[in-house]
Amino acid sequence: GGGVDELCAAVRAVAEAEVEELVCEDGGEAKARGNAAFNKGTYQEAIEHYSVALLLYPEWAIVYSNRSCSRLKLLQLDEALDDAEKGVFYKREWWKAHMRLGEAWAARGHHERALQALSDARDRVSGDDERRSLPQIRALIRVSEDALAAQHREEFRRGE
């Protein structure tokens, strides 16, 4: 049994170190760590930090949006959609929450739903800072429109 006990102690020490690294003073610090990890391309680490922030502030739409984007990068499509939906739920008027929802629907191949969410995002943009995002939203809309048109052509070709 000594080997198993030593292994368990080692695993416990690693887990405690990881938990201690994630624990921070407030949700803002966890969000900042998540953003830093995202910017480095370490998306799983970003998800872990965003999850800590959401434990502290479970209605933080911006963090749901950020975690959704991280999950999209890792092709965790169901989880990305769930986070995007929560972002819209908690901050319905925020254009970026709707944009993330559109991206998540598009990634899952639901282009009609993606178009609705992206149109909602476009319609909520206001102010000069946000207007800089309109080209990105319009590009996403075009991609979903093209994908939907291709899907309809394929259905027509198959006689559906």
Side-chain angles (χ1 to χ4, degrees):
V4 171
D5 290 340
E6 288 172 18
L7 178 61
C8 287
V11 168
R12 189 170 23 261
V14 168
E16 287 171 1
E18 287 178 354
V19 167
E20 190 171 317
E21 183 181 315
L22 287 174
V23 172
C24 48
E25 291 180 19
D26 62 30
E29 185 178 335
K31 177 182 174 270
R33 289 180 182 186
N35 290 348
F38 182 90
N39 290 333
K40 286 190 308 190
T42 53
Y43 304 117
Q44 187 58 47
E45 181 185 346
I47 289 167
E48 291 165 9
H49 290 299
Y50 293 141
S51 296
V52 170
L54 289 167
L55 287 174
L56 296 166
Y57 300 100
E59 297 177 11
W60 201 352
I62 292 169
V63 176
Y64 280 113
S65 176
N66 292 357
R67 192 171 72 175
S68 176
C69 189
S70 298
R71 288 180 160 165
L72 280 173
K73 296 285 190 184
L74 296 176
L75 301 178
Q76 297 172 358
L77 304 184
D78 292 340
E79 297 88 348
L81 179 62
D82 185 54
D83 280 349
E85 288 177 329
K86 287 177 181 165
V88 168
F89 179 80
Y90 289 120
K91 200 167 182 181
R92 184 159 299 284
E93 292 308 311
W94 186 39
W95 66 273
K96 192 175 276 188
H98 291 272
M99 186 182 80
R100 290 279 184 255
L101 184 59
E103 290 172 325
W105 279 122
R108 295 192 63 203
H110 294 275
H111 300 291
E112 287 179 16
R113 290 182 176 180
L115 283 170
Q116 181 60 56
L118 293 166
S119 295
D120 290 344
R122 181 195 57 216
D123 295 346
R124 284 171 169 77
V125 167
S126 63
D128 291 338
D129 289 345
E130 294 180 2
R131 281 194 189 91
R132 287 197 305 252
S133 298
L134 280 173
Q136 179 186 7
I137 295 169
R138 288 186 186 120
L140 291 168
I141 288 172
R142 279 192 300 278
V143 168
S144 284
E145 286 172 340
D146 291 348
L148 189 59
Q151 183 180 340
H152 287 158
R153 283 193 301 275
E154 180 61 21
E155 290 168 357
F156 179 78
R157 189 189 66 73
R158 291 192 316 246
E160 294 177 17

